[in-house]
Amino acid sequence: MNNRMVINYTPGPTFLHKLSGFTKVFLFLVMSAAIISTFDIRVLIPLLLINLIEIISMKPNWKPIIIVFSITFVTVTLIGNIMLFFVSPAAGYNNVGAEHIIWQASENLYLSKEWLWYVFVFFIKRTTSFASVMAFALATTPSEFASGLNKCGLSYKVCTVVSLAYRTIPDIANDFVNIRNSMMMRGLELQGKGVSVWKKIKNTVILLVPLIFTAFGKVGNIANAMDLRGYGKKKKRTYYAENEPTKADKLVRTLTILLLCWTIFYIVYFRIINPWPAKYWCPWLAREEVTYVNPLTTFFFLKWFK
């Protein structure tokens, strides 16, 4: 197992690693559907704990996971919420259905308990999605991913494209490092205290041109090799990575089917038959205190036409 990257290219030794490709893909698709279907914190937290347990059980290299999560947190969560606070302080009322102001600077700039709850729930939902993707990426090799998608009914040609895309990520990373070192040896300034940030960005963009040409060259070689081996002549193909389902696969598939049934029940009953008046459930608000807000009336640009 490659511990330097989040994506693994050889099967690992843990319980989740030994599952078949179809089981992993099926679990990931159902888990994604369950996460997408709700903004209820009472549902999201159990799903988050399940994904965290999966990640911990695989004993991954935490460094790349923490780096990716930190970048996502700063760029999407932190900066996004700061901008949201200034642009739409009424987001809490629009999504939670009530508003209890705890600080106010002006009519259009204030902070409410519901806004903080809205931001917290959205962070939990985003973190749950991130953990689900990380758990799937850590447990699944590109070949297992392709075979699992094929078992789900996707054309094997599309599955091959997905597998090749995963496999070329480390090659592109290595090519980038080699091109960067070569250009630095030729005098291109990319590091050092005397180099401005703008110049570093400008010089880094210069590296993309040879990197793109190198990538296209490898794509051509792969395409020619596949044509010479008669790829695409048959309607079906088999995968070395797909094994017969074991007892563990049957257990996980059964639990996944139960999760799928629960997700369908949740969507039908709690989103259609008996929905919560607002988009987000809030623990300190009773149903009668919540006001339904039509999301079509909350778009800020509609105020221009009033």
PDB file of all heavy atoms in Angstrom, residues 37-56:
ATOM      1  N   SER A  37     -29.037  13.541   0.921  1.00  0.00           N
ATOM      2  CA  SER A  37     -30.486  13.615   1.129  1.00  0.00           C
ATOM      3  C   SER A  37     -30.896  14.436   2.333  1.00  0.00           C
ATOM      4  O   SER A  37     -32.088  14.716   2.492  1.00  0.00           O
ATOM      5  CB  SER A  37     -31.051  12.194   1.278  1.00  0.00           C
ATOM      6  OG  SER A  37     -30.581  11.589   2.475  1.00  0.00           O
ATOM      7  N   THR A  38     -29.978  14.831   3.202  1.00  0.00           N
ATOM      8  CA  THR A  38     -30.390  15.467   4.448  1.00  0.00           C
ATOM      9  C   THR A  38     -29.452  16.596   4.863  1.00  0.00           C
ATOM     10  O   THR A  38     -28.269  16.614   4.500  1.00  0.00           O
ATOM     11  CB  THR A  38     -30.436  14.421   5.588  1.00  0.00           C
ATOM     12  OG1 THR A  38     -30.873  15.053   6.785  1.00  0.00           O
ATOM     13  CG2 THR A  38     -29.066  13.818   5.828  1.00  0.00           C
ATOM     14  N   PHE A  39     -30.039  17.532   5.622  1.00  0.00           N
ATOM     15  CA  PHE A  39     -29.287  18.557   6.329  1.00  0.00           C
ATOM     16  C   PHE A  39     -29.532  18.436   7.839  1.00  0.00           C
ATOM     17  O   PHE A  39     -29.263  19.373   8.585  1.00  0.00           O
ATOM     18  CB  PHE A  39     -29.710  19.953   5.863  1.00  0.00           C
ATOM     19  CG  PHE A  39     -29.190  20.324   4.507  1.00  0.00           C
ATOM     20  CD1 PHE A  39     -29.946  20.072   3.380  1.00  0.00           C
ATOM     21  CD2 PHE A  39     -27.943  20.905   4.347  1.00  0.00           C
ATOM     22  CE1 PHE A  39     -29.479  20.410   2.123  1.00  0.00           C
ATOM     23  CE2 PHE A  39     -27.460  21.244   3.098  1.00  0.00           C
ATOM     24  CZ  PHE A  39     -28.237  20.996   1.975  1.00  0.00           C
ATOM     25  N   ASP A  40     -30.022  17.290   8.260  1.00  0.00           N
ATOM     26  CA  ASP A  40     -30.345  17.059   9.665  1.00  0.00           C
ATOM     27  C   ASP A  40     -29.083  16.600  10.399  1.00  0.00           C
ATOM     28  O   ASP A  40     -28.499  15.572  10.066  1.00  0.00           O
ATOM     29  CB  ASP A  40     -31.441  15.999   9.779  1.00  0.00           C
ATOM     30  CG  ASP A  40     -32.070  15.968  11.163  1.00  0.00           C
ATOM     31  OD1 ASP A  40     -31.383  16.335  12.137  1.00  0.00           O
ATOM     32  OD2 ASP A  40     -33.250  15.587  11.266  1.00  0.00           O
ATOM     33  N   ILE A  41     -28.684  17.359  11.406  1.00  0.00           N
ATOM     34  CA  ILE A  41     -27.470  17.047  12.155  1.00  0.00           C
ATOM     35  C   ILE A  41     -27.582  15.708  12.870  1.00  0.00           C
ATOM     36  O   ILE A  41     -26.578  15.012  13.090  1.00  0.00           O
ATOM     37  CB  ILE A  41     -27.180  18.179  13.173  1.00  0.00           C
ATOM     38  CG1 ILE A  41     -25.750  18.081  13.727  1.00  0.00           C
ATOM     39  CG2 ILE A  41     -28.190  18.152  14.302  1.00  0.00           C
ATOM     40  CD1 ILE A  41     -24.700  18.460  12.755  1.00  0.00           C
ATOM     41  N   ARG A  42     -28.801  15.292  13.215  1.00  0.00           N
ATOM     42  CA  ARG A  42     -29.007  14.009  13.894  1.00  0.00           C
ATOM     43  C   ARG A  42     -28.711  12.829  12.979  1.00  0.00           C
ATOM     44  O   ARG A  42     -28.453  11.722  13.457  1.00  0.00           O
ATOM     45  CB  ARG A  42     -30.451  13.924  14.404  1.00  0.00           C
ATOM     46  CG  ARG A  42     -30.807  14.979  15.432  1.00  0.00           C
ATOM     47  CD  ARG A  42     -32.300  15.003  15.699  1.00  0.00           C
ATOM     48  NE  ARG A  42     -33.051  15.412  14.519  1.00  0.00           N
ATOM     49  CZ  ARG A  42     -34.382  15.531  14.484  1.00  0.00           C
ATOM     50  NH1 ARG A  42     -35.098  15.265  15.577  1.00  0.00           N
ATOM     51  NH2 ARG A  42     -34.988  15.906  13.381  1.00  0.00           N
ATOM     52  N   VAL A  43     -28.744  13.061  11.697  1.00  0.00           N
ATOM     53  CA  VAL A  43     -28.409  12.020  10.724  1.00  0.00           C
ATOM     54  C   VAL A  43     -26.956  12.139  10.276  1.00  0.00           C
ATOM     55  O   VAL A  43     -26.257  11.134  10.093  1.00  0.00           O
ATOM     56  CB  VAL A  43     -29.345  12.113   9.496  1.00  0.00           C
ATOM     57  CG1 VAL A  43     -28.972  11.077   8.446  1.00  0.00           C
ATOM     58  CG2 VAL A  43     -30.799  11.936   9.926  1.00  0.00           C
ATOM     59  N   LEU A  44     -26.480  13.364  10.121  1.00  0.00           N
ATOM     60  CA  LEU A  44     -25.135  13.578   9.598  1.00  0.00           C
ATOM     61  C   LEU A  44     -24.050  13.115  10.563  1.00  0.00           C
ATOM     62  O   LEU A  44     -23.036  12.545  10.137  1.00  0.00           O
ATOM     63  CB  LEU A  44     -24.934  15.063   9.267  1.00  0.00           C
ATOM     64  CG  LEU A  44     -25.748  15.601   8.096  1.00  0.00           C
ATOM     65  CD1 LEU A  44     -25.586  17.108   7.982  1.00  0.00           C
ATOM     66  CD2 LEU A  44     -25.332  14.925   6.793  1.00  0.00           C
ATOM     67  N   ILE A  45     -24.236  13.343  11.857  1.00  0.00           N
ATOM     68  CA  ILE A  45     -23.204  12.955  12.826  1.00  0.00           C
ATOM     69  C   ILE A  45     -22.986  11.441  12.856  1.00  0.00           C
ATOM     70  O   ILE A  45     -21.831  10.982  12.843  1.00  0.00           O
ATOM     71  CB  ILE A  45     -23.543  13.514  14.221  1.00  0.00           C
ATOM     72  CG1 ILE A  45     -23.302  15.031  14.234  1.00  0.00           C
ATOM     73  CG2 ILE A  45     -22.719  12.838  15.297  1.00  0.00           C
ATOM     74  CD1 ILE A  45     -23.535  15.699  15.559  1.00  0.00           C
ATOM     75  N   PRO A  46     -24.038  10.589  12.891  1.00  0.00           N
ATOM     76  CA  PRO A  46     -23.774   9.140  12.805  1.00  0.00           C
ATOM     77  C   PRO A  46     -23.058   8.735  11.516  1.00  0.00           C
ATOM     78  O   PRO A  46     -22.165   7.878  11.541  1.00  0.00           O
ATOM     79  CB  PRO A  46     -25.175   8.528  12.883  1.00  0.00           C
ATOM     80  CG  PRO A  46     -25.984   9.530  13.612  1.00  0.00           C
ATOM     81  CD  PRO A  46     -25.447  10.855  13.185  1.00  0.00           C
ATOM     82  N   LEU A  47     -23.427   9.356  10.387  1.00  0.00           N
ATOM     83  CA  LEU A  47     -22.743   9.049   9.130  1.00  0.00           C
ATOM     84  C   LEU A  47     -21.278   9.483   9.186  1.00  0.00           C
ATOM     85  O   LEU A  47     -20.389   8.786   8.676  1.00  0.00           O
ATOM     86  CB  LEU A  47     -23.454   9.729   7.964  1.00  0.00           C
ATOM     87  CG  LEU A  47     -24.877   9.264   7.656  1.00  0.00           C
ATOM     88  CD1 LEU A  47     -25.480  10.093   6.533  1.00  0.00           C
ATOM     89  CD2 LEU A  47     -24.895   7.785   7.293  1.00  0.00           C
ATOM     90  N   LEU A  48     -21.015  10.632   9.815  1.00  0.00           N
ATOM     91  CA  LEU A  48     -19.639  11.094   9.962  1.00  0.00           C
ATOM     92  C   LEU A  48     -18.837  10.135  10.825  1.00  0.00           C
ATOM     93  O   LEU A  48     -17.683   9.797  10.496  1.00  0.00           O
ATOM     94  CB  LEU A  48     -19.629  12.497  10.578  1.00  0.00           C
ATOM     95  CG  LEU A  48     -18.253  13.087  10.905  1.00  0.00           C
ATOM     96  CD1 LEU A  48     -17.393  13.204   9.656  1.00  0.00           C
ATOM     97  CD2 LEU A  48     -18.404  14.444  11.581  1.00  0.00           C
ATOM     98  N   LEU A  49     -19.424   9.652  11.925  1.00  0.00           N
ATOM     99  CA  LEU A  49     -18.717   8.717  12.800  1.00  0.00           C
ATOM    100  C   LEU A  49     -18.415   7.406  12.077  1.00  0.00           C
ATOM    101  O   LEU A  49     -17.335   6.829  12.255  1.00  0.00           O
ATOM    102  CB  LEU A  49     -19.549   8.453  14.053  1.00  0.00           C
ATOM    103  CG  LEU A  49     -19.730   9.651  15.005  1.00  0.00           C
ATOM    104  CD1 LEU A  49     -20.649   9.273  16.154  1.00  0.00           C
ATOM    105  CD2 LEU A  49     -18.385  10.122  15.528  1.00  0.00           C
ATOM    106  N   ILE A  50     -19.346   6.933  11.265  1.00  0.00           N
ATOM    107  CA  ILE A  50     -19.114   5.695  10.506  1.00  0.00           C
ATOM    108  C   ILE A  50     -17.921   5.862   9.571  1.00  0.00           C
ATOM    109  O   ILE A  50     -17.043   4.993   9.500  1.00  0.00           O
ATOM    110  CB  ILE A  50     -20.382   5.316   9.713  1.00  0.00           C
ATOM    111  CG1 ILE A  50     -21.497   4.883  10.669  1.00  0.00           C
ATOM    112  CG2 ILE A  50     -20.075   4.188   8.720  1.00  0.00           C
ATOM    113  CD1 ILE A  50     -22.827   4.662   9.987  1.00  0.00           C
ATOM    114  N   ASN A  51     -17.866   6.984   8.872  1.00  0.00           N
ATOM    115  CA  ASN A  51     -16.761   7.210   7.944  1.00  0.00           C
ATOM    116  C   ASN A  51     -15.434   7.406   8.670  1.00  0.00           C
ATOM    117  O   ASN A  51     -14.384   6.952   8.187  1.00  0.00           O
ATOM    118  CB  ASN A  51     -17.059   8.424   7.057  1.00  0.00           C
ATOM    119  CG  ASN A  51     -18.107   8.137   6.004  1.00  0.00           C
ATOM    120  OD1 ASN A  51     -17.879   7.393   5.050  1.00  0.00           O
ATOM    121  ND2 ASN A  51     -19.277   8.717   6.165  1.00  0.00           N
ATOM    122  N   LEU A  52     -15.465   8.066   9.817  1.00  0.00           N
ATOM    123  CA  LEU A  52     -14.231   8.243  10.587  1.00  0.00           C
ATOM    124  C   LEU A  52     -13.717   6.900  11.110  1.00  0.00           C
ATOM    125  O   LEU A  52     -12.507   6.644  11.109  1.00  0.00           O
ATOM    126  CB  LEU A  52     -14.478   9.202  11.754  1.00  0.00           C
ATOM    127  CG  LEU A  52     -14.684  10.674  11.382  1.00  0.00           C
ATOM    128  CD1 LEU A  52     -14.975  11.496  12.625  1.00  0.00           C
ATOM    129  CD2 LEU A  52     -13.461  11.236  10.653  1.00  0.00           C
ATOM    130  N   ILE A  53     -14.634   6.040  11.539  1.00  0.00           N
ATOM    131  CA  ILE A  53     -14.230   4.705  11.995  1.00  0.00           C
ATOM    132  C   ILE A  53     -13.612   3.920  10.842  1.00  0.00           C
ATOM    133  O   ILE A  53     -12.613   3.210  11.022  1.00  0.00           O
ATOM    134  CB  ILE A  53     -15.444   3.961  12.586  1.00  0.00           C
ATOM    135  CG1 ILE A  53     -15.879   4.622  13.899  1.00  0.00           C
ATOM    136  CG2 ILE A  53     -15.119   2.489  12.828  1.00  0.00           C
ATOM    137  CD1 ILE A  53     -17.174   4.091  14.461  1.00  0.00           C
ATOM    138  N   GLU A  54     -14.176   4.049   9.653  1.00  0.00           N
ATOM    139  CA  GLU A  54     -13.617   3.372   8.490  1.00  0.00           C
ATOM    140  C   GLU A  54     -12.191   3.863   8.206  1.00  0.00           C
ATOM    141  O   GLU A  54     -11.286   3.057   7.945  1.00  0.00           O
ATOM    142  CB  GLU A  54     -14.501   3.620   7.271  1.00  0.00           C
ATOM    143  CG  GLU A  54     -15.858   2.939   7.335  1.00  0.00           C
ATOM    144  CD  GLU A  54     -16.702   3.250   6.118  1.00  0.00           C
ATOM    145  OE1 GLU A  54     -16.242   4.017   5.253  1.00  0.00           O
ATOM    146  OE2 GLU A  54     -17.830   2.733   6.024  1.00  0.00           O
ATOM    147  N   ILE A  55     -11.994   5.173   8.261  1.00  0.00           N
ATOM    148  CA  ILE A  55     -10.664   5.728   7.978  1.00  0.00           C
ATOM    149  C   ILE A  55      -9.657   5.274   9.031  1.00  0.00           C
ATOM    150  O   ILE A  55      -8.535   4.853   8.705  1.00  0.00           O
ATOM    151  CB  ILE A  55     -10.739   7.268   7.913  1.00  0.00           C
ATOM    152  CG1 ILE A  55     -11.591   7.713   6.720  1.00  0.00           C
ATOM    153  CG2 ILE A  55      -9.343   7.875   7.800  1.00  0.00           C
ATOM    154  CD1 ILE A  55     -11.828   9.201   6.661  1.00  0.00           C
ATOM    155  N   ILE A  56     -10.035   5.360  10.298  1.00  0.00           N
ATOM    156  CA  ILE A  56      -9.119   4.974  11.375  1.00  0.00           C
ATOM    157  C   ILE A  56      -8.762   3.496  11.291  1.00  0.00           C
ATOM    158  O   ILE A  56      -7.617   3.091  11.547  1.00  0.00           O
ATOM    159  CB  ILE A  56      -9.739   5.311  12.743  1.00  0.00           C
ATOM    160  CG1 ILE A  56      -9.880   6.833  12.896  1.00  0.00           C
ATOM    161  CG2 ILE A  56      -8.896   4.755  13.883  1.00  0.00           C
ATOM    162  CD1 ILE A  56     -10.661   7.257  14.122  1.00  0.00           C
TER     163      ILE A  56
END
